[in-house]
Amino acid sequence: NVGESALPGARFQLEAARDSDSGSNSVHHYKLSHNDNFRLEVKDRGEDGKIPILILQKPLDREVIRNINLQLIAVDGGKPAKSGTMAITINVLDINDNFPVFTKEVYSVMLSENAPIGTTVIQVNATDLDEGPNGEIVYSFGKSVNSKVRKLFDINNITGEITVKGLLDYEDKDSYEIDIQASDKGSIPTITDKSVTIKIVDVNDNAQDSRPGTTVALISVFDLDSGLNGKVSCSLDDDHSTYSLVSTSPFDRETTFQYDITIVAKDAGQPSLSSVKTITVLISDVNDNSPGFAFSPYAFYVIENNVPGKLLFSVSASDKDSNENAVVSYHIWRENTEENKYTSFININSENGEIYALKSFDFETVKTFQFQVIATDSGSPSLSSNVTVNVFILGHLVTKVRAYDADIGYNGWLLFSLQEVSDHSPFSLDRYTGQIRTLRSFTETDEAQHKLLILVKDNGNVSLSATATVIVKVVEPKEAFAASDVKHAVKDEEENDVTFYLIITLGSVSVLFVISIIVLIVMQCSKSTDYSSKYLQDTNYDGTLCHSIQYRSGDKRYMLVGPRMSIGSTIAPGSNRNTLVIPDRRRRDSGEVRK
């Protein structure tokens, strides 16, 4: 029996195996079946033999797994070797580490003011993942509930049922917000609070049947004239026209929320007189639209070993109605089924839909799960809708492969894939980011070295690709640190060598570049002298740039501009400062020169 509060490093000595043989034929070593929580350590006590010891390496959680079944195998040193097996059952003992959780985020109910005493108003329900007394729930009113409310309502501390205890009156108070507490029976109880809103519905219980002859109003009329002219008589004039404006089709506030209606009153006289009046009709909202989620379903990816209490992701829903009918609240549908067991690990902010993790996720324990989020508006009666949220737990990031493509657009969009991979490979590769992650924990049967062949290809019409090989070595943590230190030392050495060779290379290239420039300048000067003596013999130059010839070099077209020269004239050597000279042995009849 191991309590779930046991800390990593806790040691549990096991019964040692006995072998009637002696020497090398006695017990040689032990092997423990694969598991995620315990590892085996063997202590050699000489003549007393080898003692197997279980060491806890990962915290236990009874709400995730209640029992762990292991096998301890003792192997002797004979040839052939013989072995014996012992079954080990570890019972994880519960501690009070879970709070009661209400099955609803919001409790709201409508209640008539003439409800008789004993009427059930609403029943709250909470669950606790612990077992025994740690998981038994007791309900009560919160300490802030005043005595007046306690006289009107009562709560069953076992069932959570709230009933009417006194007489209710809408004219006295039209709503009540009552704090409810759910606590377990642990030695140190954990308590969760929840508010219940009770809205009182008015009933026509006040008399309004006035008798005939009841005075409605007193009217005083006087006339400043005297005699018969000052006598006044009053009567009700029924000679008037009354009109009723009625609708001809149903209204939809979400389509049209306001109508401006113009009414014309016209008499039958000659000439006819008329009057115009505009009436604005505002359409009041009724709660006829359910909240709608932005996406359905949602898919979120969470990296394992996340920080409890940290925001994971959020969902969002909107309502086309207005005012209170459009105020949306969120809660998670919590159903006591095997598929929904992970909903106790998460919580949602009822106001903004932000979802938080109450515990860390372990990729080796759970890789994916889903749950339902319900969005409810505040109308009366309220409307709701739900959406499925799929959560995928990502494993440990091993490394990231990077590739580059000089092309742009689709030609430069790269996709990665694993080649020659088996169904039991412990690695996965993200096709877009090149991230290599673990799919499961490693076992003793896994190879110590894994060779991953990565293929990267672009999205061109004729797809181009390249491959790279990634070698992953699985070692014990101490060996990993030692290998890391050696790797850093070798890397530093390699970097120093690379720096030395880089300096030598840069120096050599610089020297060759300077030599090439000098040779080029010497050759250019030599060519200029030859051209001047061969082609520039005319000294009759008037200084104007009017002569031109065209030539092409590759796809480019050039024009050469030079001084005007008379036929038969020559240019004195050294006077070609305004002329680009091209040997005429390549000139064609068309006036083009090709290089």
Side-chain angles (χ1 to χ4, degrees):
N1 296 320
V2 180
E4 62 176 333
S5 60
L7 298 177
R11 302 166 66 89
F12 305 92
Q13 182 171 322
L14 302 176
E15 181 182 349
R18 297 287 181 264
D19 196 319
S20 299
D21 296 323
S22 62
S24 61
N25 294 329
S26 64
V27 176
H28 182 264
H29 66 275
Y30 292 91
K31 292 192 297 183
L32 183 67
S33 59
H34 172 71
N35 71 98
D36 295 328
N37 298 95
F38 291 90
R39 65 181 177 87
L40 182 66
E41 183 178 291
V42 179
K43 190 171 184 178
D44 193 346
R45 290 188 176 176
E47 294 181 356
D48 293 335
K50 295 179 171 62
I51 308 299
I53 300 174
L54 276 183
I55 299 180
L56 181 65
Q57 62 179 1
K58 186 176 181 181
L60 300 173
D61 189 346
R62 191 203 62 83
E63 287 71 43
V64 176
I65 183 169
R66 299 187 178 189
N67 305 101
I68 301 175
N69 295 314
L70 304 175
Q71 277 194 338
L72 180 65
I73 302 173
V75 183
D76 64 20
K79 292 184 179 180
K82 294 184 178 181
S83 63
T85 302
M86 178 174 67
I88 303 173
T89 300
I90 298 175
N91 299 314
V92 182
L93 304 181
D94 182 53
I95 62 170
N96 194 17
D97 59 342
N98 288 281
F99 284 80
V101 177
F102 283 93
T103 55
K104 291 184 178 180
E105 293 292 333
V106 178
Y107 287 96
S108 181
V109 66
M110 309 289 290
L111 180 65
S112 299
E113 64 173 333
N114 59 355
I117 295 175
T119 300
T120 298
V121 180
I122 194 173
Q123 184 175 10
V124 297
N125 185 37
T127 58
D128 194 314
L129 293 177
D130 296 319
E131 66 177 358
N134 295 335
E136 295 181 12
I137 305 297
V138 177
Y139 303 93
S140 62
F141 287 131
K143 295 181 180 179
S144 62
V145 178
N146 58 44
S147 58
K148 185 177 180 180
V149 174
R150 294 176 185 268
K151 291 179 181 179
L152 297 177
F153 301 98
D154 194 12
I155 186 170
N156 188 307
N157 62 352
I158 298 176
T159 65
E161 186 179 47
I162 300 176
T163 56
V164 177
K165 184 179 179 181
L167 298 177
L168 304 173
D169 190 352
Y170 174 84
E171 285 72 31
D172 183 21
K173 191 170 184 179
D174 60 359
S175 67
Y176 296 89
E177 186 170 352
I178 305 175
D179 291 331
I180 305 297
Q181 286 187 344
S183 62
D184 56 34
K185 294 182 179 180
S187 56
I188 302 178
T190 56
I191 302 173
T192 303
D193 297 322
K194 184 66 65 176
S195 293
V196 176
T197 301
I198 303 175
K199 297 181 180 179
I200 308 301
V201 179
D202 185 32
V203 176
N204 190 15
D205 56 355
N206 293 296
Q208 295 178 348
D209 52 349
S210 300
R211 297 179 180 180
T214 300
T215 299
V216 177
L218 297 175
I219 302 172
S220 176
V221 182
F222 61 92
D223 193 319
L224 295 179
D225 294 327
S226 60
L228 295 176
N229 295 332
K231 290 184 177 181
V232 179
S233 61
C234 297
S235 62
L236 294 176
D237 185 7
D238 292 330
D239 188 15
H240 60 276
S241 299
T242 302
Y243 297 91
S244 157
L245 183 65
V246 296
S247 62
T248 58
S249 61
F251 296 110
D252 186 0
R253 190 203 64 83
E254 286 71 41
T255 303
T256 306
F257 68 93
Q258 176 178 318
Y259 294 88
D260 294 321
I261 302 172
T262 301
I263 299 175
V264 179
K266 191 175 183 180
D267 61 24
Q270 294 294 333
S272 176
L273 300 177
S274 63
S275 179
V276 177
K277 180 69 174 179
T278 299
I279 299 175
T280 298
V281 179
L282 298 176
I283 307 302
S284 300
D285 182 49
V286 295
N287 195 24
D288 57 348
N289 289 281
S290 300
F293 283 92
F295 302 96
S296 182
Y298 280 92
F300 297 104
Y301 297 86
V302 179
I303 299 177
E304 67 171 344
N305 300 322
N306 55 292
V307 180
K310 189 176 180 180
L311 174 66
L312 294 180
F313 42 79
S314 64
V315 297
S316 177
S318 58
D319 196 311
K320 294 181 180 179
D321 295 319
S322 63
N323 300 326
E324 288 188 357
N325 295 333
V327 177
V328 179
S329 60
Y330 305 87
H331 70 276
I332 297 173
W333 175 254
R334 303 185 190 275
E335 192 176 15
N336 294 326
T337 61
E338 183 65 21
E339 293 78 10
N340 256 11
K341 65 180 181 179
Y342 293 106
T343 57
S344 60
F345 294 173
I346 56 178
N347 202 6
I348 189 170
N349 187 316
S350 61
E351 295 181 357
N352 56 26
E354 292 181 346
I355 297 176
Y356 301 84
L358 302 179
K359 290 189 175 183
S360 296
F361 293 109
D362 185 359
F363 179 78
E364 285 74 27
T365 304
V366 55
K367 294 178 175 58
T368 179
F369 65 92
Q370 64 175 211
F371 59 93
Q372 301 280 330
V373 174
I374 299 177
T376 307
D377 61 29
S378 301
S380 181
S382 61
L383 300 176
S384 63
S385 61
N386 63 78
V387 69
T388 299
V389 179
N390 296 300
V391 181
F392 300 92
I393 309 302
L394 300 179
H396 173 71
L397 177 62
V398 179
T399 187
K400 181 176 181 179
V401 181
R402 291 183 174 88
Y404 302 94
D405 194 317
D407 296 323
I408 61 175
Y410 283 101
N411 296 332
W413 185 15
L414 303 181
L415 296 177
F416 300 87
S417 62
L418 271 176
Q419 303 296 305
E420 304 174 3
V421 61
S422 65
D423 295 336
H424 303 289
S425 173
F427 301 100
S428 69
L429 174 67
D430 190 292
R431 63 180 308 196
Y432 299 108
T433 64
Q435 292 182 344
I436 300 176
R437 294 183 179 274
T438 57
L439 287 174
R440 58 176 174 82
S441 59
F442 292 96
T443 64
E444 295 179 356
T445 59
D446 285 322
E447 297 179 357
Q449 178 172 302
H450 299 263
K451 186 176 181 180
L452 307 180
L453 181 61
I454 312 295
L455 173 70
V456 59
K457 62 179 181 178
D458 59 27
N459 279 264
N461 292 330
V462 179
S463 181
L464 302 178
S465 63
T467 59
T469 301
V470 176
I471 305 296
V472 181
K473 294 183 179 180
V474 182
V475 297
E476 293 294 331
K478 293 181 179 178
E479 297 179 22
F481 289 130
S484 177
D485 294 339
V486 172
K487 181 179 178 182
H488 285 307
V490 172
K491 185 177 180 182
D492 292 340
E493 217 174 286
E494 290 177 350
E495 287 180 353
N496 293 334
D497 293 341
V498 169
T499 303
F500 175 72
Y501 291 127
L502 183 60
I503 293 174
I504 294 177
T505 302
L506 289 176
S508 302
V509 171
S510 301
V511 171
L512 290 175
F513 178 74
V514 172
I515 294 173
S516 299
I517 293 296
I518 294 172
V519 172
L520 186 61
I521 292 174
V522 171
M523 293 176 63
Q524 188 68 28
C525 291
S526 175
K527 288 182 180 181
S528 299
T529 304
D530 292 343
Y531 293 154
S532 299
S533 61
K534 185 174 182 180
Y535 297 102
L536 304 179
Q537 302 298 327
D538 194 345
T539 57
N540 192 9
Y541 166 53
D542 59 4
T544 59
L545 295 175
C546 300
H547 177 67
S548 66
I549 107 176
Q550 297 180 354
Y551 78 102
R552 285 185 182 147
S553 178
D555 295 333
K556 298 182 179 179
R557 189 178 184 87
Y558 297 86
M559 177 177 287
L560 304 180
V561 180
R564 182 187 303 274
M565 294 181 287
S566 59
I567 298 176
S569 63
T570 60
I571 298 179
S575 63
N576 58 336
R577 288 176 297 176
N578 298 319
T579 307
L580 177 62
V581 179
I582 301 295
D584 61 357
R585 64 177 179 270
R586 287 187 167 181
R587 182 173 177 182
R588 296 184 180 182
D589 295 338
S590 61
E592 296 181 348
V593 176
R594 298 185 181 271
K595 295 179 66 179

